[in-house]
Amino acid sequence: MLSSTTIWVTFALYICFLLSVAAYVTVRDRKRKDGGNLLTATVPWPVLIMTYLASLMSTWVFFAGPGAYYRNGLGYWVAELSYICLFPVISHFTMNKVWAYNQQKGRKLITPSDFYYERFKSPALRTILGLVFLACSFPYIASVLVAISQAAQYATGGAISYANAVVVIGITMTVFVCIGGMKSAAFADTIQGLFFIAALWVIAISCLVVGFHGSLNEALQTIWRNPNTAGFFSYPGPSGTTTYAFRFGYPFSCAIGWTIMLPHVFVRSGYFGNSLHSQRRLSFATPVLQVFVWTGTMLIGLIGLALVDRMTSSESELIIPYLINNIVFDANPPLAVFLMLTFFVGATAVGLSTANAFLGVSSAIVESDLLKNTFHLNITPKSEKIIGRIIIIILGTTSTLIAINPPQLIFTLIMFSIALVMPLFPVMVCALYWKHATKQAAIAATLVGTALVIMTYAVWDMGNVWYGTIGLLASTVVMIVVSLITYQDNKETESFYTTLEDAMNRFYTIDEK
C-alpha cells in the first residue's frame, strides 16, 4: 500500500522528533547541572504515569494484543481486566514501600537488584538477580524490533526487507538511548503514550465504521451467527486455548511479572516518583488508562474476527494492517493510507518507548550490578558515560541479532520475559515483611524458581498456559523453608528495617486531630 520511501521518510521524521527531545533534555540538564542517570532522579506524576504506561504497553497494543483477543475471545479480555484491578493493591504493599525506602536512602538505588542487596547484603544474590533481569530484557527488546519491522514490511507490501528494517530500527533505538539516555526516553514517552492511545482508537473506530457502518451490535451478531467464531463469547475462546490453567496462570503472571517485576517497570514504579502523591496517582491512574487501551485493543480483535474468521496465530498478530489493507482500502483508499501510516507510527512509538526503557535499565544492570559490584571494576565518573554507551551498543546489537530470526509469535517473546522474573516477587515480599528471611533462602528461591520457569517452557511445554506461576509458587516455598533452616546475622539487616521504619514514619504518618 505504501512505498518504501514513504515509510522511511515517516520514520526519519519521527526519529528527528525523538532526537530533538534527547537534545533538548541534554542541553537543559547541562544548564541546570543536573546530569546523570534518570534512575537516580525523580519526575512529576504526569510524566511518571505516561513513562510507566508507555514502557509497559510495548508491541502488545498493535500486535500481540489484538491477535490474542482474536484467538482467545471475550474471556481473554475479562482475564486482562481481572489483574488490572490488582495493581493498586500490589503497589501499595510493595512498590510504594520500595519508593519510600529509596527516598530515605537519598535516592541511591539504581537497579532492581540494589533493593534486594540492601535487605540481604549478598553480592552473590545481586549478581544472580542482575543476570536474571538482564536475561528477560533481550527477548522483550527483540519483540519490539520484530513488531516494528513487520509493520514496515507489511505496510509496503514487502518492498522493505524485514531484515533491513530490523537493522535500521535497532541502530536507531541504540543511538537514541546513547545520545539522550533514560531521561530523554521518559519525557518522550509522555508524548508517545498519548499518540499511540489516540492512534489505537482511531484505527478501531475507523475499522468498525468501514466494516459494519459503525454498529458494534452488527459486528457482535456476525460473530454470534458464525459457528467458527461463536466461541468468542465463551471459554475456551475461538481457538480453544483459554483453558482453566490459562485463566489462572495468565492474569496472575501479568499482575506480578508484567506490571511490577520487569526491570524497566520496577524502577519506574519504585524509584521515579517525586512524592508519595505521585506514587498514588500512578497506582490509580494506570489501571484506568490500561482498561481504556485494552478495550480498544479487544475491539480491534473483535472486528477482525467478525470480518475474517480463519487466520492462523501468527497472521492474527498482523490483524490491524490486514484490515487496513484488505477491508478499509477497498472502501476508502485515502483513509486506508492514513490509517496505515498511523499504525506504523503508533507501533513505532509504543515499541521504541518500551525498548528504550529496557535498554537503559539493562545498561545500568550491566554497569552497576555486574561490572562494579561483581567484577569490582573501578569506573570513574568521567568514564562512566562512555562505558554506559558501550554497554548500550552491545545490548542493542545483541537484541537486533535475536530479532533477525525470532520465534513465530511476538506473544511468546513477551510472555517468556514476564515469566522469568516472577519468582523474584516472593523474595521481595519476604524482604519487606519477614525479618527472619535469609540471604541463603533468597539465593535458593531465585535459582529454583528461575530454573522451573525455564523448564516450564523448554521441557514440559506448559509455558503457554502457566507462564511463571509454577516458578513463583516454588520460589515461595523455597524462600520459607530455607529461611527456617538457615541463619543470617540480624546486624546485617538491622539497618534495612530501621531505614524502612523511618521512611514509613516520614511518608505515612497520619496527623491525629
Side-chain angles (χ1 to χ4, degrees), residues 236-355:
S239 64
T241 57
T242 314
T243 61
Y244 284 104
F246 179 93
R247 283 176 243 173
F248 174 77
Y250 175 76
F252 192 55
S253 296
C254 288
I256 294 172
W258 187 58
T259 59
I260 296 294
M261 295 309 300
L262 286 174
H264 68 309
V265 296
F266 186 101
V267 298
R268 278 162 168 73
S269 59
Y271 297 168
F272 277 16
N274 64 354
S275 66
L276 185 60
H277 175 72
S278 294
Q279 292 295 117
R280 288 172 173 166
R281 287 285 183 93
L282 175 69
S283 296
F284 291 102
T286 299
V288 174
L289 291 172
Q290 280 185 258
V291 170
F292 187 64
V293 172
W294 286 164
T295 301
T297 307
M298 181 274 293
L299 187 60
I300 292 173
L302 184 156
I303 296 167
L305 186 65
L307 293 170
V308 188
D309 65 358
R310 294 184 184 275
M311 300 185 81
T312 64
S313 294
S314 57
E315 288 173 339
S316 67
E317 292 197 342
L318 292 168
I319 187 66
I320 291 179
Y322 181 91
L323 292 177
I324 295 172
N325 202 32
N326 295 279
I327 305 298
V328 179
F329 186 80
D330 292 340
N332 192 328
L335 176 62
V337 171
F338 169 76
L339 291 180
M340 192 64 84
L341 282 172
T342 301
F343 161 71
F344 175 72
V345 177
T348 302
V350 70
L352 285 183
S353 62
T354 301

Side-chain angles (χ1 to χ4, degrees), residues 384-397:
E384 192 171 32
K385 286 189 176 181
I386 296 175
I387 293 174
R389 284 168 178 157
I390 293 173
I391 294 170
I392 289 170
I393 292 171
I394 294 173
L395 295 176
T397 302

Side-chain angles (χ1 to χ4, degrees), residues 4 7-8 11 59 62-63 141-173 317-318 321 340 343-352 399-406 410:
S4 57
I7 286 294
W8 288 130
F11 185 71
T59 55
F62 292 98
F63 295 91
I141 296 172
S143 74
V144 169
L145 300 178
V146 170
I148 300 174
S149 301
Q150 285 184 350
Q153 184 183 34
Y154 201 105
T156 60
I160 291 179
S161 163
Y162 169 80
N164 290 341
V166 168
V167 172
V168 171
I169 294 165
I171 292 173
T172 302
M173 169 192 71
E317 292 197 342
L318 292 168
M340 192 64 84
F343 161 71
F344 175 72
V345 177
T348 302
V350 70
L352 285 183
S399 299
T400 301
L401 293 174
I402 294 173
I404 290 177
N405 187 26
I410 298 170

